[in-house]
Amino acid sequence: MFLKKNFLKLSSYIVFTIFVIFNICFIHTNTFGKIFKIQDIEIEEPFNSNFNKEKVINRAFDEAFDILLNSLITSNDKNKIKNTPLKDIKYLIDSFTITNEQFLNKNYQANFEVNFDKPKICLLYTSPSPRDVEESRMPSSA
């Protein structure tokens, strides 16, 4: 009888543990994504001898970062973050995609999707640089 009672108790712990692990691994991951996705950034540049694709990509990163800031923070807080250097913006990016890339009438046109890393964006709120945690950018009321 004692052995049977312990077996049932142990079995219930195992089932509960599997249930918790399942919820953490599958449901939590799907509910709370790890990126901020900025889509449909349209960039157009003249295609000539001075064309630089890296410059176009950097422009897309800047525009995506501006869109992200507009959706996350108030106008009072934007002044603290608006002059974020491009190298810090690139650090915040998880991945990006270029779609509908075309060269028409001596113009380069492309659509970009930029995915920002959520944990790194949180660092942006708490320090002057995502890599520097010494000084906070957030207002004292936050």
Side-chain angles (χ1 to χ4, degrees), residues 9 21 24 30 44 69 83 89-90 92 95 101-103 120 130:
K9 192 174 185 180
I21 290 172
I24 290 171
N30 292 334
E44 185 173 330
L69 288 182
N83 294 323
I89 294 173
K90 286 181 175 182
L92 299 170
S95 62
E101 187 175 35
Q102 50 190 323
F103 299 91
K120 290 179 183 177

Side-chain angles (χ1 to χ4, degrees), residues 74-87:
T74 65
S75 59
N76 293 338
D77 295 335
K78 285 180 194 168
N79 293 333
K80 292 187 169 199
I81 300 177
K82 72 177 180 180
N83 294 323
T84 302
L86 183 61
K87 68 176 183 163

Side-chain angles (χ1 to χ4, degrees), residues 31-69:
T31 305
F32 303 105
K34 296 179 181 175
I35 61 169
F36 288 113
K37 184 180 287 193
I38 308 297
Q39 297 176 307
D40 298 326
I41 302 164
E42 296 177 15
I43 302 292
E44 185 173 330
E45 285 280 324
F47 185 68
N48 53 33
S49 60
N50 296 327
F51 178 76
N52 183 345
K53 190 167 183 179
E54 185 175 345
K55 179 181 161 189
V56 173
I57 293 171
N58 290 341
R59 191 171 138 212
F61 290 167
D62 275 333
E63 288 188 24
F65 186 68
D66 286 342
I67 293 168
L68 179 69
L69 288 182

Side-chain angles (χ1 to χ4, degrees), residues 13-30:
Y13 285 134
I14 291 172
V15 169
F16 178 76
T17 303
I18 291 171
F19 177 76
V20 169
I21 290 172
F22 175 80
N23 282 333
I24 290 171
C25 292
F26 296 104
I27 296 172
H28 182 72
T29 302
N30 292 334

Side-chain angles (χ1 to χ4, degrees), residues 108-131:
Y108 171 82
Q109 300 171 344
N111 292 341
F112 289 80
E113 177 181 290
V114 181
N115 299 315
F116 289 93
D117 187 298
K118 277 186 183 180
K120 290 179 183 177
I121 294 295
C122 291
L123 287 176
L124 179 69
Y125 279 119
T126 59
S127 67
S129 166
R131 299 177 193 139

